[in-house]
Amino acid sequence: MTDSATTGILDAVTVPEGEGRPIPDAATREVIGHAPVHTVADLDRAIDAARAAQPAWNALGHTERSRLLHEIADDLEAHADELAELLSREQGKPLNGPNARFEVGACAAWTRSAADIALEPEVVFEDGPVRAEVHYDALGVVGAISPWNWPMMIAVWQIAPSLRMGNTVVSKPSEYTPLSVLALVEVFNRHLPPGVLTAISGDREVGAAIAAHPGFDKIMFTGSTATGRRIVESSANNLARLTLELGGNDAGIILPGTDVAAIAETLFWGIFINTGQTCASLKRLYVHDSLYDEVVDALAGLARQMPMGAGLSEDNVLGPLQNEKQFDVVTRLVDDARERGARIVTGGEPAPELGPLFYRATVVADIEDGAPLVDEEQFGPAIPVIRYSDVDDAVARANASEQGLGASVWSADPDAAVEVAKRLQAGTVWINNHGAINPFVPFGGVKASGYGQEFGAAGLKAVAAPKVISR
C-alpha cells in the first residue's frame, strides 16, 4: 500500500508485486513498493550505454551541463514533498528536523553547487615564454555506490559533480533504500540524454561487480570500512580511481570553561541527527571533569523530550533504526555497556510501542575507552560520555581510533579550541558544532575512514582527469 502523496513517484520506480523485492516502511514494516532486482547482466548493459553516451555528454560543455543541472534542481524542488514522504517511509527519518525535508533540500542545493563551482585551468608555472597549466577533463564512466542512511543526498554528492565534469554515471543504491534513489534518478533522467545516468537496484553481487568491473574509470563509495577495503582489492585489476567515504567513530572534546547551556542543543543534534545514523555524527564524547555532570544532564534532558515516532507525523524528529541489523548492533553495544557497569542515564532500551525498530535516545555515562560502545561505531541513538581531566589525554584517546572522518572541539575560547583541533586526526574538525557540511567546503576522511574528497572544487577535481599542458 502507498500513501496518495507518494503514489506518483512510486509508480515511476516500483515494479509489480512478484516481479521485484518488497521494500518495507522502516517504521511500520508495511510494504510500500517493490524494487526491481537488477543483475550483473543489467549492470553490463548500463555500463555499455554509459560508455556510448559519454562522448556526446562531455561534448556539451560545462555551460550546457550546468544549465541542465539547474533544471534538475528546480524539478527536485517541485517534487520535494513526494520525495520527502517516500524517503521518510523507506529510510525512517521524520519529515521535520534535520531529516527528510532537509535531505531533499540538500539534494537540490548540492546539484546547484556542482553546476556553479568554477574550475578554471590552473597556471602552475610561468617563466617568460614557458607556461604550464593543469586542465581537468572527464574521466569517463563513474560507478557510484551509496548507503542507506542518507540515500538521496549521498547519491547526489556522487552523481551531480560527476555529471558536471562530463562523466556518465551508473548508480547503485543500498538494498535497504532503493526506491528513494530510483525516484531521485527518475527526476534527473527527465532532463538527461539516455544512458547518461542509470540506477541499478541489485544485491551485494552487483555491488561487488561494480568494484571489479573494467568498464568503470572511477568508483565512488560511501559505507563501511570493511566494504571499502574489499573495493580497494577488487579495483586493483582495472586501476579505477577511488573516492571512499568510510566509517567514522567521531570524537568530540568539551574543554573546561565551556558554556554548556549555550551548546547543548547543537551538541545534541551533532550526536542524534538522523537518529544517530550518520557517518560523521558525534559517536563518543570526552568531557572535562568540571563539566561532566552538567553535560550528561543536559543531553539526557534533551533526549527525553525529543519526539520519536513514525516519520510521517509532523511532530516527530527522531525515527526508527532503518533495519534489523543496525537495531541489533545498537542493542548489543548498549547492553554490553550496562553489563560493564556503565550508567544508563536515559534510554537504553527499545521502544516497542512505537514500532519494531525503535530504540530510545540513549545517554550512557561512567564508561571508559575499551568498551565496545566507545571503540566501535554504533551508528544509532546512543552516546557514550567519557570523563577526562587532562586535555592531552583526551586528545590521545580521541586519536586512538583507526578511523578519522570527523571530530569536534567545544569551548568558549576559540583560540584554545583551534589549538586542540590542529592535534586531532580527522578529515574535518568542527568547533562548537559537529557534522555541519557545506557544498563548497571539501569533505573526506583520513586513516581507515577512507580517502579522496567530495564537495567544492576539490570534489570536481576528484571526478576528473588532470591534464598538464606545457608550452
Side-chain angles (χ1 to χ4, degrees):
M1 296 179 65
T2 61
D3 287 354
S4 58
T6 59
T7 300
I9 203 75
L10 263 180
D11 283 347
V13 300
T14 195
V15 297
E17 184 177 359
E19 295 181 18
R21 185 166 54 85
I23 302 299
D25 183 302
T28 66
R29 314 312 290 170
E30 174 189 28
V31 173
I32 60 175
H34 293 79
V37 181
H38 294 133
T39 65
V40 173
D42 294 316
L43 173 66
D44 290 338
R45 285 188 287 271
I47 295 170
D48 288 345
R51 182 68 60 191
Q54 194 273 330
W57 174 247
N58 189 37
L60 287 179
H62 287 287
T63 299
E64 179 61 11
R65 290 193 299 270
S66 294
R67 184 188 70 78
L68 290 171
L69 287 174
H70 273 285
E71 281 189 2
I72 290 166
D74 291 342
D75 212 356
L76 291 172
E77 290 170 343
H79 291 85
D81 288 343
E82 290 179 271
L83 292 169
E85 290 191 22
L86 174 56
L87 174 64
S88 179
R89 300 193 73 198
E90 184 179 47
Q91 199 282 329
K93 63 187 64 181
L95 292 171
N96 292 322
N99 291 301
R101 288 179 174 134
F102 168 85
E103 181 168 349
V104 174
C107 289
W110 257 265
T111 300
R112 292 191 196 284
S113 72
D116 292 342
I117 292 170
L119 190 59
E120 302 296 334
E122 300 170 10
V123 178
V124 293
F125 182 83
E126 191 167 18
D127 184 10
V130 180
R131 179 184 177 95
E133 298 176 344
V134 181
H135 295 247
Y136 293 91
D137 295 340
L139 279 167
V141 181
V142 175
I145 306 172
S146 54
W148 51 260
N149 58 328
W150 294 89
M152 289 182 178
M153 184 173 72
I154 293 177
V156 165
W157 293 353
Q158 299 168 335
I159 292 167
S162 297
L163 295 180
R164 156 67 196 283
M165 294 308 296
N167 305 292
T168 51
V169 180
V170 178
S171 174
K172 183 202 172 294
S174 165
E175 306 96 293
Y176 291 118
T177 53
L179 297 178
S180 296
V181 177
L182 290 169
L184 176 80
V185 169
E186 162 68 18
V187 175
F188 266 73
N189 275 333
R190 293 171 184 175
H191 305 270
L192 299 174
V196 169
L197 173 61
T198 304
I200 294 293
S201 171
D203 57 17
R204 292 180 183 273
E205 180 184 9
V206 173
I210 289 175
H213 204 291
F216 285 116
D217 302 287
K218 170 86 181 188
I219 302 294
M220 305 184 76
F221 171 76
T222 297
S224 72
T225 297
T227 303
R229 287 191 169 106
R230 291 195 293 271
I231 287 173
V232 173
E233 294 170 357
S234 297
S235 66
N237 289 334
N238 64 349
L239 292 179
R241 275 67 174 160
L242 299 176
T243 294
L244 304 175
E245 197 258 271
L246 308 179
N249 194 10
D250 289 19
I253 299 176
I254 299 184
L255 300 181
T258 303
D259 183 343
V260 174
I263 67 167
E265 190 161 350
T266 302
L267 178 65
F268 177 88
W269 285 116
I271 297 164
F272 290 99
I273 184 172
N274 195 27
T275 317
Q277 299 166 109
T278 299
C279 296
S281 63
L282 204 163
K283 308 292 194 341
R284 49 199 172 109
L285 181 62
Y286 296 90
V287 183
H288 191 263
D289 279 328
S290 60
L291 299 173
Y292 188 82
D293 291 336
E294 186 180 358
V295 169
V296 168
D297 289 346
L299 286 176
L302 289 166
R304 293 186 190 106
Q305 74 181 43
M306 290 294 175
M308 173 180 279
L312 294 185
S313 168
E314 296 285 349
D315 298 328
N316 294 325
V317 291
L318 296 174
L321 278 300
Q322 200 283 327
N323 55 78
E324 293 178 3
K325 181 179 178 181
Q326 201 57 43
F327 180 87
D328 291 344
V329 168
V330 174
T331 302
R332 171 180 62 84
L333 293 175
V334 175
D335 287 350
D336 174 86
R338 181 186 289 108
E339 291 167 4
R340 290 170 179 266
R343 176 163 54 102
I344 310 299
V345 183
T346 191
E349 62 183 4
E353 73 279 7
L354 300 177
L357 298 184
F358 284 89
Y359 198 95
R360 302 188 197 285
T362 299
V363 177
V364 180
D366 303 334
I367 189 170
E368 295 294 335
D369 296 270
L373 182 61
V374 179
D375 292 357
E376 299 178 23
E377 183 183 19
Q378 68 273 44
F379 218 67
I383 184 67
V385 187
I386 306 107
R387 188 189 301 267
Y388 78 89
S389 57
D390 178 78
V391 173
D392 290 342
D393 176 57
V395 170
R397 288 198 269 173
N399 287 340
S401 172
E402 73 163 358
Q403 295 172 318
L405 187 56
S408 57
V409 184
W410 305 76
S411 176
D413 183 342
D415 293 334
V418 169
E419 288 308 307
V420 173
K422 290 177 179 177
R423 298 164 59 195
L424 291 172
Q425 297 168 358
T428 299
V429 182
W430 293 275
I431 294 174
N432 294 331
N433 209 319
H434 196 107
I437 52 176
N438 183 315
F440 296 94
V441 177
F443 177 75
V446 299
K447 301 196 290 187
S449 289
Y451 47 76
Q453 289 186 313
E454 299 175 276
F455 312 165
L460 295 181
K461 292 177 182 179
V463 290
K467 176 187 292 182
V468 177
I469 299 178
S470 293
R471 58 187 181 185

